[in-house]
């Protein structure tokens, strides 16, 4: 799951329910670990995602170019 610029505000209960239920559905199948990448200039968003979606961990990137440079090899191998 890649979240780009979304802060998961308290008022957006529908998004919390959809994300949480989809992550839990995936976790109940194999593989059990869901990779969540957050791209946001505000690092406090990470705490919100971990708490509200009950994540064990996530990957944080402050800028999209940081995300792209770190993940470019992984993305390339997916398309090959």
């Amino acid at each position: 799951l890649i979240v780009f610029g979304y802060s998961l505000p308290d008022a957006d209960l529908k998004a919390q329910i959809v994300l949480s239920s989809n992550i839990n559905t995936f976790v109940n199948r194999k593989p059990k670990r869901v990779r969540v990448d957050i791209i946001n200039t505000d690092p406090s968003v990470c705490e919100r995602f971990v708490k509200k979606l009950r994540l064990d961990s996530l990957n944080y990137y402050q800028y999209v170019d940081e995300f792209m440079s770190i993940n470019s090899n992984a993305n390339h191998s997916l398309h090959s």
Side-chain angles (χ1 to χ4, degrees):
L1 173 65
I2 301 171
V3 181
F4 180 45
Y6 180 66
S7 63
L8 195 64
D10 291 333
D12 197 348
L13 295 175
K14 286 185 181 181
Q16 290 176 40
I17 291 167
V18 168
L19 289 169
S20 181
S21 65
N22 284 305
I23 288 172
N24 288 330
T25 298
F26 186 77
V27 167
N28 290 330
R29 299 179 188 162
K30 293 179 182 178
K32 298 213 180 267
R33 187 166 186 262
V34 176
R35 177 178 170 165
V36 178
D37 294 323
I38 304 291
I39 305 166
N40 198 304
T41 56
D42 180 3
S44 70
V45 168
C46 296
E47 294 173 33
R48 199 170 308 136
F49 272 85
V50 168
K51 181 180 176 185
K52 292 183 180 186
L53 302 182
R54 298 184 184 115
L55 300 173
D56 292 330
S57 65
L58 55 78
N59 302 304
Y60 171 71
Y61 307 92
Q62 190 170 16
Y63 302 106
V64 71
D65 58 341
E66 177 187 7
F67 170 80
M68 294 301 292
S69 67
I70 291 172
N71 293 285
S72 63
N73 290 336
N75 291 335
H76 179 68
S77 65
L78 290 175
H79 299 293
S80 298

